[in-house]
């Protein structure tokens, strides 16, 4: 038997409530982190001076950056419920089925593949350039401080992860999407490897 319109509207309202409370809960979590958790548990601040007097990221740098990135996502969730677009009827939320589990499985596989690419892209690039005679590195460890080998793993894994998420959520992947992914990951490389000299992009810190 097909579902009645009243039942559909009930699911839509439930979906909106999920978005609203998830957004507000995320904002409350961010405030809790910045005012209670981080000040109590993290020894140094967002930035600090090292022994040579250079300003470098402190212990709180990445935690604050992470929760900071959660703020615009939470705000978008709240605004999407408080200020719905004209003609938008919302999306039913609240029933977990096989399609949800399949989506979660896709995300897990994509993340695993991206981490594998991040760990082995640099090694593969070194092997390739050695094979064609451009370099004579003994291995990736010897090249891990040389551009572009030092950023190749992060770049490959980041582009794969970003493009994969776009493909899974939008059900398509265009050249524009790919270029956006490349630009975003390149911006992260410039920020963390170019401007913050004391930070090593993965997987270099594990060598």
């Amino acid at each position: 038997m097909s579902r009645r319109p009243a039942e559909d509207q009930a699911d839509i309202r439930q979906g909106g409530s999920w978005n609203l409370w998830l957004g507000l809960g995320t904002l409350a979590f961010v405030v809790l982190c910045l005012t209670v958790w981080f000040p109590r548990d993290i020894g140094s601040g967002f930035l600090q001076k090292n022994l040579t007097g250079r300003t470098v990221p402190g212990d709180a740098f990445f935690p604050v950056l992470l929760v900071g990135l959660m703020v615009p996502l939470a705000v978008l969730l709240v605004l999407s419920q408080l200020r719905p677009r004209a003609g938008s009827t919302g999306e039913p939320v609240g029933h977990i089925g096989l399609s949800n589990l399949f989506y979660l499985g896709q995300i897990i596989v994509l993340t695993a593949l991206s981490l594998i690419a991040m760990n082995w892209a640099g090694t593969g690039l070194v092997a390739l350039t050695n094979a064609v005679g451009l370099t004579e590195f003994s291995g990736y460890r010897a090249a891990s401080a040389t551009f572009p080998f030092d950023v190749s793993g992060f770049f490959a894994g980041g582009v794969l992860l970003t493009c994969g998420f776009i493909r899974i959520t939008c059900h398509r992947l265009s050249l524009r999407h790919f270029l956006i992914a490349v630009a975003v990951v390149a911006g992260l490389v410039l920020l963390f490897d170019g401007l913050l000299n004391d930070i090593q992009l993965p997987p270099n810190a594990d060598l």
Side-chain angles (χ1 to χ4, degrees), residues 10-26 73-74 76-78 80-81 91-96:
D11 273 347
I12 290 171
R13 287 193 295 270
Q14 184 182 16
S17 297
W18 274 104
N19 291 337
L20 178 61
W21 289 112
L22 180 60
L24 293 176
T26 301
L73 299 177
L76 287 176
L77 283 174
V78 174
S80 67
Q81 172 62 14
E91 180 181 356
V93 177
H95 300 287
I96 298 178

mmCIF file of all heavy atoms in Angstrom, residues 10-26 73-74 76-78 80-81 91-96:
data_model
loop_
_atom_site.group_PDB
_atom_site.id
_atom_site.type_symbol
_atom_site.label_atom_id
_atom_site.label_comp_id
_atom_site.label_asym_id
_atom_site.label_seq_id
_atom_site.Cartn_x
_atom_site.Cartn_y
_atom_site.Cartn_z
ATOM 1 N N ALA A 10 4.980 14.051 7.678
ATOM 2 C CA ALA A 10 5.519 13.770 9.004
ATOM 3 C C ALA A 10 6.993 13.416 8.929
ATOM 4 O O ALA A 10 7.802 13.849 9.752
ATOM 5 C CB ALA A 10 4.726 12.640 9.664
ATOM 6 N N ASP A 11 7.363 12.612 7.905
ATOM 7 C CA ASP A 11 8.771 12.258 7.731
ATOM 8 C C ASP A 11 9.607 13.480 7.390
ATOM 9 O O ASP A 11 10.743 13.630 7.829
ATOM 10 C CB ASP A 11 8.917 11.217 6.624
ATOM 11 C CG ASP A 11 8.747 9.798 7.158
ATOM 12 O OD1 ASP A 11 8.773 9.640 8.386
ATOM 13 O OD2 ASP A 11 8.565 8.872 6.344
ATOM 14 N N ILE A 12 9.048 14.398 6.571
ATOM 15 C CA ILE A 12 9.780 15.600 6.188
ATOM 16 C C ILE A 12 10.048 16.470 7.406
ATOM 17 O O ILE A 12 11.134 16.997 7.604
ATOM 18 C CB ILE A 12 8.991 16.381 5.110
ATOM 19 C CG1 ILE A 12 9.003 15.591 3.796
ATOM 20 C CG2 ILE A 12 9.572 17.762 4.905
ATOM 21 C CD1 ILE A 12 8.078 16.154 2.749
ATOM 22 N N ARG A 13 9.019 16.624 8.270
ATOM 23 C CA ARG A 13 9.216 17.415 9.478
ATOM 24 C C ARG A 13 10.250 16.760 10.387
ATOM 25 O O ARG A 13 11.064 17.422 11.018
ATOM 26 C CB ARG A 13 7.874 17.582 10.207
ATOM 27 C CG ARG A 13 6.919 18.544 9.517
ATOM 28 C CD ARG A 13 5.782 18.888 10.448
ATOM 29 N NE ARG A 13 4.966 17.729 10.760
ATOM 30 C CZ ARG A 13 3.909 17.351 10.050
ATOM 31 N NH1 ARG A 13 3.568 18.024 8.968
ATOM 32 N NH2 ARG A 13 3.211 16.291 10.407
ATOM 33 N N GLN A 14 10.202 15.430 10.445
ATOM 34 C CA GLN A 14 11.185 14.712 11.252
ATOM 35 C C GLN A 14 12.585 14.927 10.706
ATOM 36 O O GLN A 14 13.543 15.118 11.449
ATOM 37 C CB GLN A 14 10.855 13.224 11.287
ATOM 38 C CG GLN A 14 11.783 12.410 12.193
ATOM 39 C CD GLN A 14 11.460 10.934 12.158
ATOM 40 O OE1 GLN A 14 10.766 10.465 11.273
ATOM 41 N NE2 GLN A 14 11.974 10.204 13.125
ATOM 42 N N GLY A 15 12.716 14.920 9.360
ATOM 43 C CA GLY A 15 14.015 15.160 8.752
ATOM 44 C C GLY A 15 14.540 16.536 9.065
ATOM 45 O O GLY A 15 15.717 16.729 9.360
ATOM 46 N N GLY A 16 13.636 17.554 9.020
ATOM 47 C CA GLY A 16 14.058 18.898 9.363
ATOM 48 C C GLY A 16 14.507 18.993 10.805
ATOM 49 O O GLY A 16 15.488 19.678 11.126
ATOM 50 N N SER A 17 13.824 18.324 11.698
ATOM 51 C CA SER A 17 14.212 18.337 13.109
ATOM 52 C C SER A 17 15.581 17.713 13.306
ATOM 53 O O SER A 17 16.396 18.204 14.095
ATOM 54 C CB SER A 17 13.166 17.583 13.945
ATOM 55 O OG SER A 17 11.910 18.220 13.877
ATOM 56 N N TRP A 18 15.859 16.621 12.597
ATOM 57 C CA TRP A 18 17.183 16.010 12.665
ATOM 58 C C TRP A 18 18.255 17.024 12.272
ATOM 59 O O TRP A 18 19.269 17.170 12.949
ATOM 60 C CB TRP A 18 17.258 14.800 11.744
ATOM 61 C CG TRP A 18 16.790 13.518 12.345
ATOM 62 C CD1 TRP A 18 15.608 12.887 12.118
ATOM 63 C CD2 TRP A 18 17.492 12.704 13.291
ATOM 64 N NE1 TRP A 18 15.517 11.729 12.852
ATOM 65 C CE2 TRP A 18 16.660 11.589 13.581
ATOM 66 C CE3 TRP A 18 18.733 12.798 13.908
ATOM 67 C CZ2 TRP A 18 17.045 10.589 14.470
ATOM 68 C CZ3 TRP A 18 19.121 11.805 14.791
ATOM 69 C CH2 TRP A 18 18.275 10.718 15.066
ATOM 70 N N ASN A 19 18.056 17.718 11.159
ATOM 71 C CA ASN A 19 19.035 18.703 10.694
ATOM 72 C C ASN A 19 19.221 19.818 11.704
ATOM 73 O O ASN A 19 20.342 20.245 11.993
ATOM 74 C CB ASN A 19 18.605 19.291 9.358
ATOM 75 C CG ASN A 19 18.690 18.291 8.224
ATOM 76 O OD1 ASN A 19 19.441 17.321 8.302
ATOM 77 N ND2 ASN A 19 17.911 18.500 7.182
ATOM 78 N N LEU A 20 18.105 20.325 12.247
ATOM 79 C CA LEU A 20 18.166 21.439 13.185
ATOM 80 C C LEU A 20 18.911 21.053 14.456
ATOM 81 O O LEU A 20 19.834 21.751 14.892
ATOM 82 C CB LEU A 20 16.748 21.909 13.521
ATOM 83 C CG LEU A 20 16.644 23.048 14.540
ATOM 84 C CD1 LEU A 20 17.342 24.286 14.024
ATOM 85 C CD2 LEU A 20 15.184 23.339 14.866
ATOM 86 N N TRP A 21 18.537 19.933 15.056
ATOM 87 C CA TRP A 21 19.159 19.536 16.315
ATOM 88 C C TRP A 21 20.592 19.076 16.116
ATOM 89 O O TRP A 21 21.445 19.263 17.001
ATOM 90 C CB TRP A 21 18.324 18.450 16.994
ATOM 91 C CG TRP A 21 17.043 18.988 17.533
ATOM 92 C CD1 TRP A 21 15.779 18.722 17.110
ATOM 93 C CD2 TRP A 21 16.905 19.931 18.602
ATOM 94 N NE1 TRP A 21 14.854 19.431 17.842
ATOM 95 C CE2 TRP A 21 15.517 20.179 18.768
ATOM 96 C CE3 TRP A 21 17.811 20.587 19.439
ATOM 97 C CZ2 TRP A 21 15.033 21.057 19.728
ATOM 98 C CZ3 TRP A 21 17.327 21.462 20.394
ATOM 99 C CH2 TRP A 21 15.954 21.692 20.540
ATOM 100 N N LEU A 22 20.901 18.475 14.968
ATOM 101 C CA LEU A 22 22.286 18.098 14.694
ATOM 102 C C LEU A 22 23.160 19.342 14.569
ATOM 103 O O LEU A 22 24.283 19.387 15.096
ATOM 104 C CB LEU A 22 22.363 17.266 13.414
ATOM 105 C CG LEU A 22 23.755 16.801 12.988
ATOM 106 C CD1 LEU A 22 24.387 15.924 14.069
ATOM 107 C CD2 LEU A 22 23.684 16.031 11.667
ATOM 108 N N GLY A 23 22.653 20.368 13.875
ATOM 109 C CA GLY A 23 23.402 21.610 13.739
ATOM 110 C C GLY A 23 23.613 22.308 15.063
ATOM 111 O O GLY A 23 24.730 22.732 15.397
ATOM 112 N N LEU A 24 22.540 22.427 15.859
ATOM 113 C CA LEU A 24 22.658 23.079 17.163
ATOM 114 C C LEU A 24 23.552 22.274 18.102
ATOM 115 O O LEU A 24 24.337 22.849 18.868
ATOM 116 C CB LEU A 24 21.259 23.263 17.776
ATOM 117 C CG LEU A 24 20.337 24.248 17.062
ATOM 118 C CD1 LEU A 24 18.967 24.259 17.724
ATOM 119 C CD2 LEU A 24 20.943 25.653 17.053
ATOM 120 N N GLY A 25 23.427 20.951 18.061
ATOM 121 C CA GLY A 25 24.276 20.113 18.900
ATOM 122 C C GLY A 25 25.742 20.253 18.538
ATOM 123 O O GLY A 25 26.623 20.263 19.416
ATOM 124 N N THR A 26 26.038 20.361 17.234
ATOM 125 C CA THR A 26 27.417 20.536 16.800
ATOM 126 C C THR A 26 27.981 21.873 17.278
ATOM 127 O O THR A 26 29.123 21.948 17.741
ATOM 128 C CB THR A 26 27.510 20.453 15.270
ATOM 129 O OG1 THR A 26 27.011 19.179 14.833
ATOM 130 C CG2 THR A 26 28.944 20.618 14.798
ATOM 131 N N LEU A 73 29.551 24.003 8.655
ATOM 132 C CA LEU A 73 28.665 22.890 8.330
ATOM 133 C C LEU A 73 27.442 22.893 9.239
ATOM 134 O O LEU A 73 26.309 22.665 8.789
ATOM 135 C CB LEU A 73 29.417 21.571 8.469
ATOM 136 C CG LEU A 73 30.641 21.391 7.565
ATOM 137 C CD1 LEU A 73 31.329 20.066 7.868
ATOM 138 C CD2 LEU A 73 30.243 21.461 6.105
ATOM 139 N N ALA A 74 27.663 23.162 10.535
ATOM 140 C CA ALA A 74 26.545 23.219 11.473
ATOM 141 C C ALA A 74 25.621 24.389 11.157
ATOM 142 O O ALA A 74 24.393 24.256 11.216
ATOM 143 C CB ALA A 74 27.080 23.333 12.901
ATOM 144 N N LEU A 76 25.089 25.746 8.248
ATOM 145 C CA LEU A 76 24.323 25.413 7.049
ATOM 146 C C LEU A 76 23.148 24.490 7.386
ATOM 147 O O LEU A 76 22.053 24.638 6.833
ATOM 148 C CB LEU A 76 25.238 24.750 6.013
ATOM 149 C CG LEU A 76 26.230 25.668 5.301
ATOM 150 C CD1 LEU A 76 27.138 24.862 4.387
ATOM 151 C CD2 LEU A 76 25.489 26.730 4.498
ATOM 152 N N LEU A 77 23.355 23.542 8.291
ATOM 153 C CA LEU A 77 22.265 22.652 8.692
ATOM 154 C C LEU A 77 21.144 23.433 9.367
ATOM 155 O O LEU A 77 19.963 23.209 9.092
ATOM 156 C CB LEU A 77 22.793 21.572 9.634
ATOM 157 C CG LEU A 77 23.580 20.422 9.007
ATOM 158 C CD1 LEU A 77 24.147 19.516 10.093
ATOM 159 C CD2 LEU A 77 22.704 19.616 8.057
ATOM 160 N N VAL A 78 21.521 24.352 10.247
ATOM 161 C CA VAL A 78 20.505 25.137 10.952
ATOM 162 C C VAL A 78 19.757 26.048 9.987
ATOM 163 O O VAL A 78 18.520 26.124 10.007
ATOM 164 C CB VAL A 78 21.165 25.956 12.079
ATOM 165 C CG1 VAL A 78 20.146 26.889 12.731
ATOM 166 C CG2 VAL A 78 21.763 25.029 13.134
ATOM 167 N N SER A 80 19.366 25.723 6.802
ATOM 168 C CA SER A 80 18.559 24.964 5.854
ATOM 169 C C SER A 80 17.190 24.638 6.422
ATOM 170 O O SER A 80 16.224 24.447 5.667
ATOM 171 C CB SER A 80 19.269 23.666 5.458
ATOM 172 O OG SER A 80 19.360 22.782 6.571
ATOM 173 N N GLN A 81 17.072 24.570 7.742
ATOM 174 C CA GLN A 81 15.785 24.301 8.371
ATOM 175 C C GLN A 81 15.032 25.589 8.688
ATOM 176 O O GLN A 81 13.818 25.661 8.514
ATOM 177 C CB GLN A 81 15.986 23.492 9.657
ATOM 178 C CG GLN A 81 14.733 23.317 10.495
ATOM 179 C CD GLN A 81 13.641 22.561 9.759
ATOM 180 O OE1 GLN A 81 13.911 21.943 8.730
ATOM 181 N NE2 GLN A 81 12.419 22.625 10.279
ATOM 182 N N GLU A 91 13.615 16.599 2.973
ATOM 183 C CA GLU A 91 13.968 15.212 2.675
ATOM 184 C C GLU A 91 13.604 14.328 3.852
ATOM 185 O O GLU A 91 13.953 14.632 4.989
ATOM 186 C CB GLU A 91 15.475 15.111 2.408
ATOM 187 C CG GLU A 91 15.941 13.704 2.098
ATOM 188 C CD GLU A 91 17.427 13.642 1.860
ATOM 189 O OE1 GLU A 91 18.064 14.696 1.873
ATOM 190 O OE2 GLU A 91 17.948 12.527 1.683
ATOM 191 N N PRO A 92 12.852 13.257 3.625
ATOM 192 C CA PRO A 92 12.497 12.372 4.744
ATOM 193 C C PRO A 92 13.748 11.776 5.385
ATOM 194 O O PRO A 92 14.634 11.295 4.708
ATOM 195 C CB PRO A 92 11.654 11.284 4.074
ATOM 196 C CG PRO A 92 11.157 11.902 2.810
ATOM 197 C CD PRO A 92 12.245 12.829 2.368
ATOM 198 N N VAL A 93 13.799 11.852 6.709
ATOM 199 C CA VAL A 93 14.934 11.337 7.455
ATOM 200 C C VAL A 93 14.406 10.559 8.652
ATOM 201 O O VAL A 93 13.394 10.925 9.231
ATOM 202 C CB VAL A 93 15.846 12.486 7.945
ATOM 203 C CG1 VAL A 93 16.996 11.938 8.780
ATOM 204 C CG2 VAL A 93 16.387 13.272 6.773
ATOM 205 N N GLY A 94 15.077 9.523 9.035
ATOM 206 C CA GLY A 94 14.706 8.837 10.253
ATOM 207 C C GLY A 94 14.625 7.333 10.111
ATOM 208 O O GLY A 94 14.614 6.627 11.100
ATOM 209 N N HIS A 95 14.524 6.814 8.885
ATOM 210 C CA HIS A 95 14.442 5.380 8.661
ATOM 211 C C HIS A 95 15.762 4.886 8.088
ATOM 212 O O HIS A 95 16.209 5.326 7.034
ATOM 213 C CB HIS A 95 13.299 5.043 7.707
ATOM 214 C CG HIS A 95 11.959 5.469 8.218
ATOM 215 N ND1 HIS A 95 11.304 4.832 9.251
ATOM 216 C CD2 HIS A 95 11.152 6.500 7.853
ATOM 217 C CE1 HIS A 95 10.148 5.423 9.487
ATOM 218 N NE2 HIS A 95 10.035 6.444 8.663
ATOM 219 N N ILE A 96 16.434 3.975 8.778
ATOM 220 C CA ILE A 96 17.702 3.416 8.333
ATOM 221 C C ILE A 96 17.428 2.115 7.599
ATOM 222 O O ILE A 96 16.817 1.196 8.149
ATOM 223 C CB ILE A 96 18.641 3.167 9.521
ATOM 224 C CG1 ILE A 96 18.949 4.486 10.223
ATOM 225 C CG2 ILE A 96 19.920 2.488 9.066
ATOM 226 C CD1 ILE A 96 19.831 4.343 11.435
#
